[in-house]
Amino acid sequence: MIDKNNPEQCWISLILRIAVASIFAVAAYGKFAAGFGNYAASMTGMFKDSVLPGWLLMPYINILPFAETLLAVWLLVGIKLRAAWIFTAFVLLTLGFGMIVIRQGAIASENYIYMMMACLGIYLSKYDKCSLLSCCSCKK
């Protein structure tokens, strides 16, 4: 359902949700397609000389593909959208921080741009009435 008082904001939010969800879906797919062991070994190798401790890094590496999958689905479904955007911003903040730690400034910059998109999503979430539940309730 489109918010009749703010249709532009609703459409912008919907397009933003699809764009960011597709980024997360492709990122998660790449990690699973490479093989979970290969992905984990690659990430561990990237961070082996960093200041981040292994006890902190390993759970994050193991959870990340599942979190990216969850975010892709959550953003597309649109239920509890503000919470989805806040979680998205947090994940992107941690990804950007990790890239700064290993001196990958270009990748960190991309993550922070995505984080700004998530912040826009947080703002626009109050206008976005398009969710799986609203679509289902329209049919009744």
Side-chain angles (χ1 to χ4, degrees):
M1 167 177 16
I2 301 296
D3 183 349
K4 292 187 183 352
N5 296 325
N6 301 292
E8 295 86 9
Q9 289 90 336
C10 187
W11 281 110
I12 292 168
S13 179
L14 181 61
I15 293 166
L16 188 64
R17 283 171 40 199
I18 293 168
V20 175
S22 66
I23 291 167
F24 278 115
V26 169
Y29 175 77
K31 290 173 179 68
F32 286 118
F36 198 74
N38 292 335
Y39 150 73
S42 170
M43 291 299 289
T44 304
M46 286 175 62
F47 286 90
K48 70 177 175 182
D49 295 328
S50 76
V51 297
L52 295 176
W55 61 266
L56 179 66
L57 191 58
M58 288 313 298
Y60 186 86
I61 288 171
N62 290 322
I63 292 170
L64 184 60
F66 299 101
E68 290 173 335
T69 303
L70 170 72
L71 284 171
V73 172
W74 195 359
L75 288 171
L76 289 175
V77 170
I79 298 170
K80 301 254 184 206
L81 196 52
R82 182 173 171 80
W85 279 120
I86 291 169
F87 187 56
T88 299
F90 175 74
V91 168
L92 291 165
L93 177 66
T94 61
L95 287 170
F97 176 77
M99 292 298 107
I100 287 173
V101 167
I102 61 170
R103 294 179 172 81
Q104 296 292 323
I107 299 171
S109 296
E110 290 175 12
N111 285 318
Y112 287 135
I113 289 170
Y114 298 145
M115 190 184 67
M116 287 191 299
M117 292 169 67
C119 290
L120 178 60
I122 293 168
Y123 172 75
L124 291 173
S125 65
K126 63 186 168 192
Y127 302 109
D128 194 335
K129 307 299 181 205
C130 300
S131 73
L132 187 62
L133 291 178
S134 69
C135 291
C136 294
S137 65
C138 290
K139 293 180 183 178
K140 293 182 180 178

